[in-house]
Amino acid sequence: MYYGNTRIQVSANVLFFQAEDGIRDREPKGMEENNMASTKEYLDFVMEQLSGLDELSSRAMMGTYILYYRGRIFGGIYDDRLLVKPVPMALRLMPDAEMELPYNGAKEMILVDNVDDRQFLCELVESMWEELPMKKSKKKKGI
């Protein structure tokens, strides 16, 4: 693909730019070292850490796992990293947390690096619930 005189190519999560003076490449923030799919073992670990919560579920999607609490998406497992939506409560509870991309082209999410603290994880997810967007309802098709 070309944009003006610059050739743009995406390959294996690396964006290449070929300009007149040569090729430059860069990887999106959060993707530098993480080019693998999420493992079921890591999902099981996180789900076990959150087992104190009712109505917790996950859904596999394109090598990642989307996480739900009481019917609302609160985050996911991306490249064996737990990332949560940057709602105000999550930002208050983790003011120094890093923001990372779950995948190329996505909005940044909060990296939860304290996954060993079961109590903190449960409190985090529970406190986020009120601020999470409601599930989008499907529109009925007209006749």
Side-chain angles (χ1 to χ4, degrees):
M1 171 180 6
Y2 285 88
Y3 182 77
N5 292 336
T6 303
R7 182 171 159 249
I8 301 172
Q9 174 185 349
V10 178
S11 174
N13 291 330
V14 178
L15 188 59
F16 295 96
F17 298 95
Q18 183 175 0
E20 292 176 9
D21 59 343
I23 295 178
R24 286 179 240 128
D25 67 296
R26 72 173 174 84
E27 295 182 8
K29 183 179 177 187
M31 299 297 291
E32 297 86 357
E33 300 169 5
N34 300 309
N35 293 321
M36 62 183 179
S38 298
T39 62
K40 177 84 166 82
E41 291 77 20
Y42 189 74
L43 170 68
D44 291 343
F45 170 72
V46 171
M47 295 298 277
E48 177 62 29
Q49 292 296 88
L50 293 167
S51 63
L53 300 175
D54 293 331
E55 298 182 56
L56 185 69
S57 62
S58 66
R59 181 175 169 195
M61 186 172 292
M62 298 173 55
T64 67
Y65 296 95
I66 308 301
L67 302 176
Y68 298 82
Y69 176 57
R70 293 171 46 192
R72 297 182 187 178
I73 297 172
F74 71 88
I77 307 292
Y78 303 91
D79 301 320
D80 283 348
R81 300 170 295 157
L82 174 58
L83 301 177
V84 297
K85 291 185 174 252
V87 296
M89 182 56 77
L91 292 168
R92 279 194 294 277
L93 291 173
M94 299 184 297
D96 299 325
E98 292 184 35
M99 300 292 287
E100 293 195 6
L101 294 174
Y103 53 88
N104 194 11
K107 294 179 183 177
E108 286 188 325
M109 297 176 76
I110 303 170
L111 173 65
V112 181
D113 58 4
N114 195 9
V115 292
D116 292 323
D117 188 340
R118 189 182 288 234
Q119 182 178 350
F120 171 76
L121 282 181
C122 289
E123 288 173 4
L124 170 67
V125 173
E126 205 164 33
S127 65
M128 290 173 61
W129 190 81
E130 288 286 330
E131 298 175 340
L132 294 170
M134 296 273 233
K135 184 178 178 180
K136 295 178 183 176
S137 61
K138 295 182 180 178
K139 295 181 181 179
K140 293 184 180 181
K141 294 181 180 180
I143 298 177

